[in-house]
């Protein structure tokens, strides 16, 4: 085995400039660095928690299949240390050298998409990211791209009109990222020296492992280090809770954690795969997961956040764990060179406590695809449809026998207990019974044996208990009726 080279310098490209930094605090956010060290004030700070989109920038990285991919991210919760080998693009990079506005900016001006202007750079960057990938987007695609951008002035309609018209301005020949593309690929390739980045002393240490094996040995040697994947949870520990997260190991760039494979009826997702990277495969094989993922944060959060992080943080209100538990998923954990695979439900021991040893990390999750004829559904209950955290979430996987009785059933909930948890008493009341309203009503009475939910700002205990029971009824009705499911999928102005 060859020894790992260590570099004590962070290297990336900001707009057109090469950046090399030897003094980087592990918890320094990209937003603070842009505004305070580089005086790039176009990128704004609104909420500092990934909700408003005022801080949106694009991050480009080399990808094995597509060459160079740019995605919108929230600079307020993205750490500078995670950007080694990336291209950071801020709103200042858009206008041409002759001060001509970029088509995205010109459309926003012409359609009055800006009033006070505070949110505007963030909207421009989100729309730019969309326009690069989808020059003629549908309204649905525009809304998805802008889910994570808030504007208190315009009422959104002028921004939507601007978004629909961008391509009519032409101007691709002047678009900086299209013009620079080949050069940028070469410049980014030149940054990839295969070294581990290690900056700072013992307390303030920042590490970007060179490979998956290197990550395993780094974490084994520093078991108390904070692992940071997409930072959509950890970012808020810093900006909202002022927590000391050092030393930090950044894993977002590890290619080996980015694999998505489908084999023998199982989708396996590496711990570094983001929601945006997973959504197409998951929607194809387990369609109910697509709409669930589309309701996690805004586009920027989905571009950064990982399913691995959603599992590893152990939150009782994370959206994917209950769905994956109902599907019967398993988790591969790794410490050093030793791997073990456990049922996902066994990972969650108690509030804040998971079955993860010091120095161990989540490597991949394996999700069985329901067989043809099986039913799988997941329902997320929130106060607001988009960009909201779950009050309760129920997931159901059902197989019926030829005589219409319940041959197999798995039910799991989030927001109902200290961990994501199966409803075993409810499952037992259904198993072997005819799948009819009488059975379902009898099973609904069993929820009190499985859960004693809490009241908090998202919902009262009574509301949660009632909603949980009704989700089973809803699942029953949807599996037995051909009527379209009753759900809000889109709001229209009157
Ligand atoms: C605006 C906003 C909206 C959100 N909306 C939702 C929502 O609707 N539903 C929802 O479920 N979540 C939501 N989240 C939370 C968050 O996006 C998810 O929990 C996300 O999946 C976390 O992944 P990450 O890669 O960003 O994790 P990080 O923040 O990097 O890490 C989270 C935790 O996991 C640990 N960790 C990460 N990867 C590993 C690994 N491979 N091995 C061991 N430990 C690891 C970290 O140490 C940390 O404890 C939202 C967040 C924001 C900012
Ligand atoms: S400042 Fe609000 S999302 Fe970053
Ligand atoms: S223009 Fe004022 S917040 Fe959007």
């Amino acid at each position: 085995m060859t020894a790992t080279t260590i570099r004590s310098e962070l290297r990336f490209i900001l707009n057109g400039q090469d950046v090399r930094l030897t003094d980087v605090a592990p918890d320094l956010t990209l937003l603070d660095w842009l505004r305070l060290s580089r005086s790039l004030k176009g990128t704004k700070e609104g909420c500092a928690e990934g909700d408003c989109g005022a801080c949106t920038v694009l991050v480009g990285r080399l990808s094995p299949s597509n060459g160079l991919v740019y995605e919108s991210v929230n600079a307020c919760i993205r750490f500078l240390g995670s950007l080694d080998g990336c291209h950071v693009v801020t709103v200042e990079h858009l206008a041409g050298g002759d001060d001509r506005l970029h088509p995205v900016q010109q459309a926003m001006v012409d359609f009055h998409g800006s009033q006070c202007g505070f949110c505007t750079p963030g909207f421009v960057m989100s729309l730019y990211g969309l326009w690069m990938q989808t020059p003629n987007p549908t309204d649905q695609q525009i809304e998805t791209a802008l889910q994570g951008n808030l504007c208190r002035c315009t009422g959104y309609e002028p921004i939507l009109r601007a978004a629909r018209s961008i391509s009519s301005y032409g101007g691709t020949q002047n678009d900086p990222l299209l013009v620079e593309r080949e050069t940028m690929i070469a410049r980014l390739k030149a940054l990839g020296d295969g070294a581990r980045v290690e900056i700072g002393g013992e307390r303030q240490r920042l590490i970007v492992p060179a490979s998956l094996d290197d990550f395993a040995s780094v974490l084994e040697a520093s078991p108390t280090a904070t692992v940071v994947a997409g930072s959509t949870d950890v970012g808020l520990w810093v900006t909202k809770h002022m927590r000391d997260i050092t030393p930090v190991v950044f894993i977002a760039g590890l290619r080996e954690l980015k694999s998505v494979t489908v084999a023998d009826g199982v989708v396996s997702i590496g711990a570094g795969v983001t929601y945006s990277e997973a959504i197409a495969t998951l929607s194809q094989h387990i369609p109910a997961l697509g709409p669930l993922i589309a309701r996690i944060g805004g586009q920027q959060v989905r571009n950064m956040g990982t399913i691995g992080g959603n599992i590893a943080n152990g939150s009782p209100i994370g959206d994917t764990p209950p769905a994956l538990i109902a599907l019967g998923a398993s988790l591969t954990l790794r410490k050093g060179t030793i791997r073990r695979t456990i049922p996902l439900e066994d990972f969650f021991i108690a509030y804040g406590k998971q079955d993860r040893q010091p120095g161990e990390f989540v490597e991949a999750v394996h999700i069985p695809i329901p067989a043809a004829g099986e039913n799988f559904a997941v329902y997320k209950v929130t106060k607001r449809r988009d960009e909201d955290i779950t009050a309760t979430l129920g997931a159901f996987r059902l197989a019926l026998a030829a005589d219409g009785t319940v041959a197999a059933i798995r039910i799991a909930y989030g927001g109902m207990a200290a961990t994501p948890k199966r409803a075993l008493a409810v499952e037992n009341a259904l198993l072997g019974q005819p799948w009819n309203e009488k059975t379902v009503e009898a099973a609904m009475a069993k929820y009190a044996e499985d859960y004693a939910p809490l009241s908090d700002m998202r919902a009262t205990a009574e509301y949660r208990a009632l909603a949980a029971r009704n989700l089973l009824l809803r699942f029953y009705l949807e599996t037995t009726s051909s009527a379209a499911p009753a759900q809000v999928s889109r709001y229209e102005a009157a």
Side-chain angles (χ1 to χ4, degrees):
M1 204 159 108
T2 50
T4 304
T5 316
I6 297 181
R7 155 162 57 91
S8 51
E9 187 179 69
L10 195 69
R11 296 177 187 165
F12 60 95
I13 298 169
L14 169 65
N15 297 329
Q17 247 185 353
D18 284 317
V19 177
R20 281 167 162 54
L21 300 171
T22 51
D23 186 11
V24 185
D27 56 0
L28 176 64
T29 63
L30 171 59
L31 181 62
D32 278 352
W33 181 76
L34 287 172
R35 292 180 60 85
L36 304 175
S37 297
R38 291 289 158 144
S39 287
L40 290 173
K41 304 271 172 78
T43 311
K44 307 294 184 207
E45 176 165 351
C47 64
E49 61 180 41
D51 269 319
C52 75
C55 64
T56 305
V57 299
L58 297 187
V59 171
R61 63 191 158 75
L62 293 174
S63 112
S65 48
N66 302 316
L68 177 54
V69 179
Y70 288 95
E71 287 176 323
S72 58
V73 307
N74 295 124
C76 65
I77 52 171
R78 180 89 191 229
F79 295 110
L80 202 66
S82 70
L83 293 165
D84 195 63
C86 293
H87 181 202
V88 177
V89 184
T90 69
V91 71
E92 286 84 357
H93 198 51
L94 260 64
D98 52 1
D99 276 346
R100 204 171 21 182
L101 291 181
H102 188 278
V104 180
Q105 295 169 309
Q106 192 61 53
M108 286 286 275
V109 172
D110 293 349
F111 287 86
H112 308 286
S114 179
Q115 285 182 25
C116 81
F118 192 83
C119 70
T120 309
F123 271 94
V124 164
M125 294 311 285
S126 286
L127 288 175
Y128 184 31
L130 173 68
W131 177 73
M132 263 195 302
Q133 286 174 12
T134 317
N136 294 299
T138 62
D139 281 4
Q140 185 64 56
Q141 287 168 320
I142 295 170
E143 285 172 24
T144 300
L146 296 181
Q147 236 174 357
N149 290 81
L150 301 181
C151 174
R152 62 183 185 169
C153 303
T154 61
Y156 298 100
E157 196 50 43
I159 298 174
L160 296 177
R161 281 192 211 116
R164 288 181 200 117
S165 74
I166 294 167
S167 283
S168 66
Y169 286 75
T172 47
Q173 69 282 4
N174 299 321
D175 178 72
L177 298 186
L178 291 175
V179 172
E180 295 161 358
R181 195 170 183 85
E182 291 312 315
T183 334
M184 194 53 70
I185 290 175
R187 285 173 72 184
L188 289 174
K189 277 187 180 159
L191 293 182
D193 60 357
R196 175 199 300 170
V197 178
E198 214 170 314
I199 296 177
E202 188 45 42
R203 283 299 302 133
Q204 283 287 307
R205 202 147 49 102
L206 164 176
I207 303 169
V208 186
S211 64
L212 181 59
D213 287 346
D214 189 38
F215 170 39
S217 59
V218 163
L219 198 63
E220 209 177 12
S222 304
T224 57
T226 306
V227 175
V228 174
S231 68
T232 60
D233 286 317
V234 178
L236 279 71
W237 301 354
V238 171
T239 60
K240 297 288 141 173
H241 306 292
M242 315 296 165
R243 257 169 77 174
D244 178 3
I245 60 165
T246 56
V248 179
V249 183
F250 291 105
I251 62 167
L254 290 180
R255 288 254 171 100
E256 299 112 305
L257 286 180
K258 288 220 166 264
S259 82
V260 179
T261 58
V262 184
D264 303 326
V266 175
V267 183
S268 290
I269 309 251
V273 175
T274 63
Y275 292 114
S276 298
E277 289 163 339
I279 193 167
T281 307
L282 287 176
S283 305
Q284 183 191 344
H285 295 281
I286 311 172
L289 291 181
L292 176 69
I293 291 175
R295 284 178 64 192
I296 293 178
Q299 188 66 49
Q300 299 91 326
V301 166
R302 293 190 294 272
N303 288 341
M304 297 195 287
T306 61
I307 297 177
N310 204 224
I311 292 169
N313 75 18
S315 165
I317 47 171
D319 284 342
T320 62
L324 303 185
I325 289 172
L327 285 161
S330 57
L331 196 63
T332 297
L333 295 142
R334 175 171 171 184
K335 180 176 177 171
T337 54
I338 312 290
R339 290 182 172 87
R340 64 188 174 111
T341 298
I342 59 169
L344 177 59
E345 63 200 274
D346 293 348
F347 181 66
F348 304 102
I349 297 170
Y351 184 75
K353 187 165 183 229
Q354 294 86 45
D355 180 7
R356 187 157 77 84
Q357 306 303 311
E360 195 172 42
F361 63 91
V362 174
E363 191 172 69
V365 60
H366 314 283
I367 313 164
I369 300 169
E374 275 189 63
N375 288 287
F376 173 70
V378 50
Y379 308 114
K380 171 171 170 169
V381 179
T382 49
K383 287 188 177 166
R384 196 174 51 193
R385 188 184 175 280
D386 289 324
E387 275 254 56
D388 205 355
I389 302 292
T390 285
T392 184
L393 177 149
F396 306 83
R397 179 176 177 176
L398 166 76
L400 291 177
D403 63 359
T405 57
V406 175
I409 180 120
R410 290 177 67 93
I411 302 176
Y413 278 77
M416 293 293 287
T419 61
K421 186 170 174 267
R422 270 176 84 180
L424 291 172
V426 179
E427 288 179 12
N428 285 333
L430 294 166
L431 202 60
Q433 301 299 315
W435 183 239
N436 60 29
E437 202 156 339
K438 193 163 157 237
T439 309
V440 167
E441 275 175 7
M444 284 166 75
K446 295 286 181 183
Y447 272 89
E449 291 177 29
D450 284 316
Y451 303 115
L454 297 177
S455 294
D456 63 15
M457 79 268 205
R458 296 204 172 85
T460 61
E462 295 74 25
Y463 178 88
R464 285 191 159 104
L466 180 62
R469 290 198 297 273
N470 285 340
L471 291 183
L472 174 64
L473 183 59
R474 175 177 172 176
F475 179 62
Y476 165 72
L477 292 171
E478 285 185 9
T479 56
T480 51
S481 155
S482 55
Q487 64 183 7
V488 178
S489 56
R490 192 157 187 278
Y491 296 101
E492 299 271 1

